[in-house]
Amino acid sequence: MSSESRARIMARVRSSCAGNDAATIERELAGLGVAPAAQAPHEDSCVTFMVNVLRNQGTLDVAADRSTAVKLIGNYLYQHYRSHRLVAGNDPRLAAMPWRDGGVLPRFGEIEEGEQIALSYARWGLAETGATVFFTGKRNPSRNNLLPEHHLVLVDADTLLPDLESLWREVNTAIANGSRPRGIHCIAGPSSTGDIEGQIVYGAHGPRAWHVILMGNVSPEQQEAARALHAGKTGPAPA
Amino acid sequence: MEQHSQQFKENAANALADAGGVAQRDILALFTPIMRDAAVAEFGPYEALRQHVKRVRQHSLDNLDYYLARFELEATNNGNQVHYADSADEMNSIVLDICQQHGARKVAKGKSMVTEETGLNDYLQRGGLQVMETDLGEYIVQQAGETPSHIVGPALHKTRDQIRELFLDKHDLGERELESISDLVGEARVVLRDHFLQAEVGIIGSNALIAENGYSMLVTNEGNGDLCANLPNVLIICTTLDRVLPRAEDATAIQRLLVRSATGQPHTCYTSFYSGPRRAEDADGPLETHIILLDNHRTDILASDYSDMLRCIRCGSCLNHCPIFAATGGHAYGWVYPGPMGSVLTPLLTSLEASAALPNACTSCGRCAEVCPSAIPLPDMLRDLRHEQSVEKITPASWRQGLRLHAWLACRPGLYQFLTGIGIAVMHRIGRKKGGFRSLPLAGGWTSKRDFPSPQGKTFMQQYRQRSRSNEQ
C-alpha cells in the first residue's frame, strides 16, 4: 500500500517540479547563501554564551579548573538536596573528574527512578542561543538530559561555538567521520510551559532547574560583562 | 477530524456571546504581537532572514522531487522505515499497523497538527490503544474532550479554574487544592511521567526534515516531544512531505524564524535532531523508528496557484495578529487549522464547499501577510478563494449578482461617481440631524450591530476634485 502510494505521490510531485538535474539544483542552492544569525549581545562569544544561559533561566557557575568545578557541583548538591549524590553518563571525562575534592559521589549510567540530579558533559556550548549541545549515546544517555529534577551541565570554555552554522559544521564533520549521532540535543533552559493562561512555569516534563558550569579560562571581566548585560546594564569590555 | 466550518457564523456568534472568552482572547491578541515584535527587533536582520528562508523554502518546493528522494535515501540509510501516505486514513492505518505489530497498548504522543488533521487519536483508540497527548495544552483539551483552539497554544481558551475543575474530575488523586498554575502543571507532570515510562510507542511530529543527512528537527519547550522520541521502544514521526529542506543550516534558519514568530522567544528550551533508531553503542533510544510522509492534497496544492501556502511553518503568528481570530477564537473555524492560514489551508485540504465561510472571515487588513515569517500572501489567497467560490457559484446568488452590478458600475467611473454622489447627498440630507442610521436597506448586517454614520455631504472623489481645484488656484 505504502509503495503504491509512494509511486503515486512521487509522480504527482515530479509533475509539479522543474525537473532540474542534481548539478543545477545544487548550484542554485549554493547561490542562496546562508541565513543571517541573531545579533549577539556582546562581541565575545564567551560573554554572549553566559548572558544567554542566564536569559534562558539557567543558573551559572564558572570554574577555572576541574577541582573547582567539582567543589561547585558539591556545593550545588548540598544547597539543593543536602546530598552528595548524582548520576552521570559513562563519559571518560566525567570519570576522570577529581570527585573527592568536592565530596561528590557520582553513579555512572542512566538515571533511575528516585534519582533527582543528573550531570552531563556538553560536547559544545552555543553562544547564539546559550544552549548546551549533546550527542545522545553511552556517554550521554538521553534520559539523563530529560528525566532529572535538576540537570547539571559541564561545558568547556574552549568548546564554545558562536552560532548554529558553526555547530552544524562540527556535526557534519562528525557525520563525515562515521560518528553520526542518533540524537542531537540542544538544551537551552529548564523545561517550561506557557500552556495555561500564557503563564510560564518551569519543570513541565523535564528538569525544573538547569545549572551550567563553564570550565576554563574565563576572566572576571568577562563574567562581570555577562552579569551586567543580563541585568540590563552595559558591562565593561572583556580583557 | 470532523469538520464544522459550515457553522462558522454560528460558532463566531456563540464565541462573541461569551464575555469571559472575549476578555481572554483580547489579552492574548494584545500581548502576543508585542512579544513577537520585541523578539524580531532584538534579532536584528530579521527581514533578511525572512527573505532568505522564503527563497530556500521556494527552492525546496520547486525541487521537491529531488529533495524528497534524497531525504528518503538518507533516512533509510540511517535505519528508519520511511512510509508514504496518500490520505489521512492511510496514515492512521500505517500507525495502527506498526502499533499492533509490536503488541503496543500505550502510546505517548507529542504535539502534532498533522495527526489532528488525520484524526489519529480516535482511530488508534478505536483500535484498542490508549493514546495520551503529552504536550500540556494538548493533554488538557484531550481530557476535556475538545479540540485545540490554537496551533501553538491548544488550551489557551481555557482558564485556570476550568483546568482545575477538569483535573479534579479526571485525576483520581484524592483531596487537594490545585490553587496555582504551578500546581496544575505539577500534577500533569506526575500523571504524564508514568505514561512516558510505560508507553511502548512514541509519536511525534517534525518541524523540518533535512534532506542532506536524513535528520528530523523537533522544537519544544516542555521536553515532552523528546521524552516521546527517546523513551518508548518504537518511535513514529508523523509529518508531511512539504517539511523537507535541503540542508541542516536551513532547518536552523527556520528555527530562528519559527520560535520568534510563535512565542516571541529567541529559541525554545529543546531543539533536537533525530537520525534513526538506537545503535549498538547507544545507551537508550527507540529500537525502531518510522517516518510517515503524508500527502493529503499537498501535491494538489503544489500543482495549484496556492503553492506558496506550502511555505507555512505553523508558527501561529497570523492567528495572533488576526482581528477575526481574536474576536471568534479558533474553535469557530470548525477544523484543525484556524486563523488566516487555516482559512486558506482548510478549503485546500478539504473542499471549498465545506469551508465556504472561511475565506470570507477576513477584514483584508493585511496584518497576517506583514508578520508571516514565510512571506505568504495570505490576503491575496483568501481573495482568490473568494473569487473561486463566486466562479463555482458557491457564493449565494444574490451576493454574486450584487458583485456583478458593483463590477459593472466600477468599470464606468463617471456613472459610478455620479450615482454615489446622489446616494451620499440623499443620505446626508436624511441623516444629518440624527448623525446616523439605525437601519438601511441592503445593509441590515451592518445596522443590526451598530449605527451607520451619516455621510458628511460629499464623496471622496468630489472632495478630492474640490481640493485639487483650490490648490491650483
Side-chain angles (χ1 to χ4, degrees), chain A residues 179-210:
Chain A
S179 306
R180 174 181 58 79
R182 178 186 70 80
I184 303 165
H185 287 173
C186 304
I187 299 179
S191 156
S192 71
T193 182
D195 273 350
I196 302 179
E197 295 186 359
Q199 185 176 309
I200 304 298
V201 175
Y202 295 96
H205 293 293
R208 296 178 195 276
W210 176 67

Side-chain angles (χ1 to χ4, degrees), chain A residues 5 9, chain B residues 83-87 90-91 94 292-296:
Chain A
S5 298
I9 290 168
Chain B
H83 311 258
Y84 286 80
D86 232 338
S87 64
E90 191 177 356
M91 173 178 266
I94 293 169
I292 308 176
L293 300 166
L294 175 70
D295 181 346
N296 201 28

Side-chain angles (χ1 to χ4, degrees), chain B residues 52-244:
Chain B
H52 173 81
V53 169
K54 178 187 170 185
R55 286 193 295 272
V56 169
R57 290 285 280 154
Q58 197 57 55
H59 169 84
S60 312
L61 293 170
D62 290 345
N63 301 287
L64 190 58
D65 52 345
Y66 175 74
Y67 289 119
L68 203 52
R70 177 86 193 273
F71 173 77
E72 183 188 354
L73 176 70
E74 296 294 336
T76 306
N77 287 343
N78 291 348
N80 297 285
Q81 295 177 46
V82 180
H83 311 258
Y84 286 80
D86 232 338
S87 64
D89 282 346
E90 191 177 356
M91 173 178 266
N92 293 344
S93 161
I94 293 169
V95 175
L96 182 60
D97 280 351
I98 296 166
C99 293
Q100 287 175 338
Q101 279 165 23
H102 290 273
R105 290 167 156 232
K106 290 191 171 185
V107 175
K109 197 162 158 287
K111 192 168 177 310
S112 155
M113 295 313 291
V114 172
T115 58
E116 294 285 347
E117 183 182 320
T118 66
L120 180 65
N121 286 9
D122 287 345
Y123 191 91
L124 295 181
Q125 280 161 358
R126 285 198 298 274
L129 288 159
Q130 186 191 346
V131 185
M132 194 77 92
E133 291 285 354
T134 61
D135 171 84
L136 180 60
E138 291 281 352
Y139 175 71
I140 290 165
V141 295
Q142 185 189 32
Q143 293 304 305
E146 297 177 6
T147 54
S149 61
H150 190 293
I151 61 171
V152 175
L156 288 175
H157 60 286
K158 299 190 86 70
T159 64
R160 71 182 78 183
D161 291 338
Q162 289 168 335
I163 296 165
R164 177 180 178 274
E165 291 306 315
L166 179 73
F167 281 11
L168 289 173
D169 179 43
K170 297 286 180 181
H171 300 157
D172 187 15
L173 294 171
E175 287 288 316
R176 60 215 190 274
E177 292 300 323
L178 291 180
E179 281 181 346
S180 68
I181 290 178
S182 291
D183 293 342
L184 295 167
V185 173
E187 181 158 310
R189 176 188 174 96
V190 170
V191 171
L192 286 167
R193 180 61 69 94
D194 282 345
H195 198 79
F196 281 124
L197 295 169
Q198 292 166 7
E200 296 97 349
V201 174
I203 297 176
I204 58 170
S206 172
N207 296 100
L209 303 169
I210 303 169
E212 71 173 356
N213 57 25
Y215 275 78
S216 171
M217 179 170 82
L218 182 67
V219 174
T220 74
N221 276 313
E222 295 182 10
N224 65 304
D226 290 294
L227 287 164
C228 292
N230 287 283
L231 298 189
N233 277 338
V234 179
L235 170 64
I236 306 173
I237 300 175
C238 293
T239 185
T240 55
L241 42 88
D242 52 311
R243 297 295 105 191
V244 177

Side-chain angles (χ1 to χ4, degrees), chain A residues 18-37:
Chain A
N20 292 324
D21 59 76
T24 307
I25 293 170
E26 294 296 341
R27 197 167 50 245
E28 193 181 302
L29 178 65
L32 295 175
V34 294

Side-chain angles (χ1 to χ4, degrees), chain A:
Chain A
M1 183 167 60
S2 187
S3 64
E4 290 167 17
S5 298
R6 181 192 184 281
R8 279 196 302 274
I9 290 168
M10 286 304 261
R12 288 199 295 269
V13 170
R14 269 194 295 273
S15 71
S16 299
C17 289
N20 292 324
D21 59 76
T24 307
I25 293 170
E26 294 296 341
R27 197 167 50 245
E28 193 181 302
L29 178 65
L32 295 175
V34 294
Q39 57 191 15
H42 199 279
E43 61 189 11
D44 180 342
S45 286
C46 181
V47 175
T48 295
F49 174 75
M50 289 190 286
V51 174
N52 283 332
V53 166
L54 296 170
R55 286 179 180 173
N56 293 338
Q57 304 298 317
T59 48
L60 178 71
D61 269 332
V62 176
D65 52 42
R66 295 188 308 162
S67 176
T68 312
V70 168
K71 285 174 191 159
L72 289 167
I73 291 168
N75 291 344
Y76 186 94
L77 297 181
Y78 187 76
Q79 193 184 339
H80 288 86
Y81 281 95
R82 296 285 186 269
S83 162
H84 300 284
R85 297 180 186 280
L86 54 73
V87 62
N90 280 307
D91 187 325
R93 294 174 300 173
L94 290 175
M97 296 290 282
W99 296 112
R100 283 185 187 173
D101 293 359
V104 178
L105 299 170
R107 183 184 72 76
F108 295 99
E110 291 175 62
I111 191 165
E112 289 175 3
E113 199 174 346
E115 289 180 311
Q116 311 278 333
I117 308 161
L119 173 70
S120 308
Y121 210 130
R123 201 172 183 100
W124 298 287
L126 191 54
E128 181 181 347
T129 61
T132 47
V133 185
F134 310 89
F135 284 179
T136 63
K138 271 210 172 69
R139 293 180 176 197
N140 183 250
S142 55
R143 304 165 76 93
N144 291 17
N145 294 341
L146 301 167
L147 289 175
E149 295 284 305
H150 287 238
H151 188 207
L152 276 58
V153 182
L154 276 167
V155 190
D156 283 327
D158 56 11
T159 63
L160 296 182
L161 301 170
D163 53 28
L164 290 156
E165 281 74 17
S166 50
L167 169 65
W168 275 106
R169 276 194 292 277
E170 297 286 343
V171 174
N172 287 338
T173 304
I175 293 173
N177 292 336
S179 306
R180 174 181 58 79
R182 178 186 70 80
I184 303 165
H185 287 173
C186 304
I187 299 179
S191 156
S192 71
T193 182
D195 273 350
I196 302 179
E197 295 186 359
Q199 185 176 309
I200 304 298
V201 175
Y202 295 96
H205 293 293
R208 296 178 195 276
W210 176 67
H211 183 64
V212 175
I213 303 114
L214 182 60
M215 207 162 54
N217 188 18
V218 181
S219 70
E221 289 79 10
Q222 284 172 306
Q223 294 177 52
E224 178 54 31
R227 298 209 184 269
L229 275 167
H230 179 240
K233 294 178 279 187
T234 308

